[in-house]
Amino acid sequence: MCSWLAQAVLAVLWVPGAMAAESPRNILLLVIDDLGWADVGAYNPATFYETPSIDALAASGMRFTDGYAASPVCSPTRYSILTGRYPTRAGVTNDFNGTRQGRSGAVAARYAPALARDHMPTEELTIAKALQQAGYRTFFAGNWPAAQGFDINRGADHTYRLAEETVSFVRTSRSQPFFAMLSFNDVHTPLVAPPELVEKYERKLADDTELHALPDFMPEEQVWPTEEPRRVRVLQSHAVYAAMVEAMDIAVGRVLEEIDALGLRDTTAIFFVSDNGGLSTAEGSPTSNLPLRGGKGWLYEGGIREPFIARIPGITKPGSTSAVAVLTTDLYPTFLDLAQAPPRPQQHLDGSSLLAVLRGGELSREALYWHYPHYSNQGGFPGGAVRVGRYKLLERYEDGRVHLYDLEHDLMELHDLARSQPERVAALRSKLHAWYDEVGARFLGSIEGGPTPWAP
């Protein structure tokens, strides 16, 4: 063999993960329920919570600063993960157990929410089914779904049991590529955590004198009528929630440690996401999403921006970050690429493979969209949103008002530029309305006895 060819071969052999990139990857997807962008140390060094396992995962892979859920609530986002499409295309626009209608007591709201699908059809070609057809063994643990292409389905309430079920699957699946989706119930309500961890954070709170001087809550805009003024938590100071976050992090670490112990680190792609923002405006308001505005159930950044981490040895550079705006619909085509399976463009219509981005490149995509025609249980208003570059337009379905924010300079969405930039507003609104038509967005008419709402 000539010397230059020998050197080239040796160079490839000595690059960590390079040979692994030549074959299909194992894929582990970790989905956390209601975990906020600011709940994780890798995103918020000042967080009250302790997330060493997740932080280590981010340090060993790529952290997306602008990772988004396809919806501000759970079910539509999970639908987007499994299908690679905007959930609006299927009428999946609210939680499958969503309860908010057009009235609250004797007070009439100004908009009648759209009818929403309350299940995923079993004939849907999920990413699990696609990977099955590519020769993968598939596994699901946690809440939702049931029979959607997973060879093994394990449901459990306890976070550690879910982790152990996943570990068991990984141990028995080393002879062929596998796809494991670990869908945690935490950190969703009800708030329950190991007593010893709760006591740990109660002591931490008691010892932090600076926290004692700060308010836990501040007023939030009043959208859904309630007897009490709505409040938003602005301080991470809930001991039980903190304990839930750490318990979830311990379970994540348990699975990652087992992958390393089995010698699967270099052949396993790991993705970590949440299904919406943290719960900050209702149901106990256990966390704060600052510096993001709002939270779960809201179209502000606090409701849709989420932790989004990927580690693929040989592809992602350890400790790297990307400001490319990515969406949960992107996971489907990315997983197909990692499996060396053919793309399914008619299925994952709204997802883009992130492989080039994971290697440090860019993504050619003009806009991201959201459609939430409901009053959320957390107080959010019915509306839509579009992000193009650094600008984000919000549109309220109650009356047609719009808000424009420059996310690069105003991450908290406090400075509305709609009046000062009417041309940009018109362009983004036109783009958003064209998208409504493309995906068949559903809207409903006025509420009987109430004012006629605006409709696009």
Side-chain angles (χ1 to χ4, degrees):
M1 181 182 295
C2 61
S3 60
W4 66 266
L5 180 57
Q7 291 174 0
V9 170
L10 287 174
V12 171
L13 289 174
W14 282 102
V15 174
M19 296 304 291
E22 301 297 326
S23 58
R25 299 280 185 147
N26 302 316
I27 301 169
L28 170 64
L29 173 61
L30 303 165
V31 182
I32 316 303
D33 204 336
D34 290 0
L35 184 70
W37 183 87
D39 289 348
V40 178
Y43 285 85
N44 176 20
T47 182
F48 176 64
Y49 319 129
E50 298 178 21
T51 55
S53 299
I54 301 169
D55 298 345
L57 178 65
S60 63
M62 175 174 282
R63 176 176 61 90
F64 287 90
T65 60
D66 294 44
Y68 286 98
S71 171
V73 293
C74 306
S75 300
T77 296
R78 293 167 185 268
Y79 192 98
S80 77
I81 292 172
L82 289 172
T83 66
R85 301 198 309 277
Y86 282 114
T88 299
R89 290 187 184 274
V92 179
T93 52
N94 203 9
D95 280 331
F96 286 166
N97 61 348
T99 57
R100 285 290 189 205
Q101 300 301 322
R103 296 176 182 273
S104 176
V107 183
R110 294 183 295 173
Y111 185 82
L115 296 176
R117 185 188 294 269
D118 62 358
H119 67 283
M120 172 181 279
T122 55
E123 63 269 19
E124 189 72 68
L125 181 59
T126 65
I127 182 59
K129 292 179 182 178
L131 290 175
Q132 273 183 332
Q133 295 173 15
Y136 275 64
R137 191 167 186 238
T138 60
F139 168 86
F140 183 92
N143 61 337
W144 206 84
Q148 298 290 353
F150 293 97
D151 296 316
I152 302 173
N153 195 301
R154 295 285 186 263
D157 293 328
H158 196 283
T159 291
Y160 195 78
R161 279 179 53 199
L162 292 175
E164 287 303 315
E165 292 281 2
T166 306
V167 164
S168 178
F169 169 77
V170 171
R171 284 175 180 165
T172 59
S173 303
R174 287 175 285 173
S175 60
Q176 69 180 100
F178 64 79
F179 168 53
M181 182 173 175
L182 173 49
S183 180
F184 285 94
N185 298 293
D186 285 349
V187 289
H188 194 287
T189 56
L191 302 179
V192 180
E196 64 275 13
L197 289 179
V198 176
E199 292 174 5
K200 167 186 173 178
Y201 284 97
E202 287 175 342
R203 291 194 301 271
K204 188 174 180 179
L205 281 170
D207 294 340
D208 195 329
T209 56
E210 292 184 5
L211 287 179
H212 300 165
L214 299 173
D216 287 348
F217 294 91
M218 291 185 67
E220 178 56 275
E221 63 179 294
Q222 197 74 2
V223 179
W224 182 259
T226 60
E227 294 181 359
E228 297 290 333
R230 187 168 295 281
R231 303 183 305 166
V232 57
R233 182 179 285 273
V234 295
L235 191 67
Q236 292 180 341
S237 56
H238 197 298
V240 179
Y241 183 82
M244 289 180 72
V245 172
E246 183 170 346
M248 175 273 298
D249 183 83
I250 291 171
V252 168
R254 173 73 183 95
V255 178
L256 300 184
E257 289 170 3
E258 189 67 21
I259 286 175
D260 287 354
L262 294 171
L264 300 175
R265 184 186 181 101
D266 287 345
T267 56
T268 303
I270 298 174
F271 291 79
F272 179 97
V273 299
S274 178
D275 57 5
N276 48 247
L279 181 59
S280 64
T281 61
E283 301 161 6
S285 305
T287 194
S288 169
N289 296 308
L290 290 182
L292 306 184
R293 183 176 181 180
K296 177 182 180 178
W298 296 77
L299 287 169
Y300 294 123
E301 291 293 285
I304 55 177
R305 190 180 289 220
E306 60 174 19
F308 200 119
I309 300 168
R311 185 184 78 191
I312 314 173
I315 293 180
T316 54
K317 180 180 177 181
S320 58
T321 61
S322 174
V324 174
V326 297
L327 194 67
T328 46
T329 55
D330 297 330
L331 294 172
Y332 195 124
T334 304
F335 293 173
L336 291 183
D337 264 359
L338 291 170
Q340 297 185 357
R344 297 175 180 267
Q346 295 306 309
Q347 172 63 36
H348 51 79
L349 285 170
D350 305 307
S352 298
S353 174
L354 300 178
L355 215 54
V357 181
L358 292 166
R359 290 191 170 106
E362 295 296 322
L363 181 64
S364 177
R365 176 164 53 199
E366 188 177 11
L368 296 178
Y369 301 93
W370 292 266
H371 170 61
Y372 187 66
H374 309 279
Y375 292 98
S376 76
N377 292 337
Q378 299 76 32
F381 54 82
V386 55
R387 175 175 171 174
V388 176
R390 70 196 221 200
Y391 291 97
K392 176 182 170 186
L393 181 83
L394 278 172
E395 179 172 62
R396 294 173 180 257
Y397 297 159
E398 294 176 310
D399 53 20
R401 280 185 296 153
V402 294
H403 310 285
L404 178 67
Y405 301 106
D406 179 348
L407 297 179
E408 184 176 321
H409 297 103
D410 181 24
L411 187 60
M412 294 181 72
E413 298 173 287
L414 297 178
H415 306 289
D416 189 353
L417 305 175
R419 289 188 177 182
S420 63
Q421 298 192 31
E423 292 183 357
R424 190 181 303 278
V425 167
L428 291 180
R429 195 173 201 177
S430 176
K431 187 178 293 294
L432 180 58
H433 286 204
W435 178 78
Y436 291 154
D437 291 338
E438 177 190 342
V439 299
R442 298 179 181 180
F443 303 88
L444 206 58
S446 63
I447 298 172
E448 182 180 356
T452 301
W454 172 89

